[in-house]
Amino acid sequence: MPRAKKSRNAKNVEETELADSPVSTARRRSRKDPTSSDSPHASANAERPTSGSAAQTPQIPSNVLQKLVAFSVVLLIAPILAYFLALHYVFAGSTTPAAITAAVTANIVLAAYVYAAWTEEEPSSADASDRSAKRKTD
């Protein structure tokens, strides 16, 4: 038995009826105002700090970010370079030892980063108090 095609108006009526269902109305309400008291996430949203509060966000020193970026670049380049150098000049086309060389190189770079982070100097308490005073004045 062939199905009759629905006209565009009939399809729009069905969509309107679905849009007015209690479930969709509740979803629309929760999307409109996530901080309303009926929302289950209202308390979580109220406790969340605003994005403008700079006093609560940690300040990462620029030398730490520079070190992270430098080690990331080395970690990207050094194993690939070690693989191809070992493949062409040391192991004469044998891929397994060249891959092992690349893995060892990656581990050496990671160990160097951990060592550099471990031996990094902590900011003195005077520097920390100067930074906190500067944040309060800003």
Side-chain angles (χ1 to χ4, degrees):
M1 183 174 191
R3 291 174 68 177
K5 291 185 178 178
K6 295 181 180 178
S7 68
R8 288 188 179 185
N9 290 339
K11 188 175 183 180
N12 289 340
V13 169
E14 287 178 5
E15 288 175 359
T16 305
E17 289 172 357
L18 290 175
D20 291 336
S21 70
V23 174
S24 64
T25 304
R27 285 184 186 155
R28 277 198 307 264
R29 282 187 194 141
S30 66
R31 285 184 193 150
K32 286 181 184 175
D33 189 13
T35 60
S36 68
S37 60
D38 342 345
S39 172
H41 305 291
S43 62
N45 289 337
E47 294 171 7
R48 198 173 291 156
T50 60
S51 60
S53 61
Q56 294 178 355
T57 58
Q59 298 296 322
I60 301 173
S62 63
N63 64 341
V64 172
L65 290 177
Q66 289 171 350
K67 189 182 299 185
L68 177 64
V69 169
F71 273 99
S72 297
V73 169
V74 171
L75 187 60
L76 177 69
I77 294 171
I80 296 170
L81 185 65
Y83 173 79
F84 284 110
L85 288 175
L87 182 67
H88 292 294
Y89 298 110
V90 178
F91 298 113
S94 181
T95 58
T96 302
I100 291 171
T101 303
V104 168
T105 303
N107 283 309
I108 289 171
V109 172
L110 285 173
Y113 178 70
V114 169
Y115 177 76
W118 189 269
T119 58
E120 186 175 274
E121 291 183 20
E122 294 281 329
S124 67
S125 60
D127 291 341
S129 63
D130 290 342
R131 274 194 222 121
S132 65
K134 185 184 282 185
R135 275 191 226 141
K136 290 179 182 176
T137 60
D138 289 342

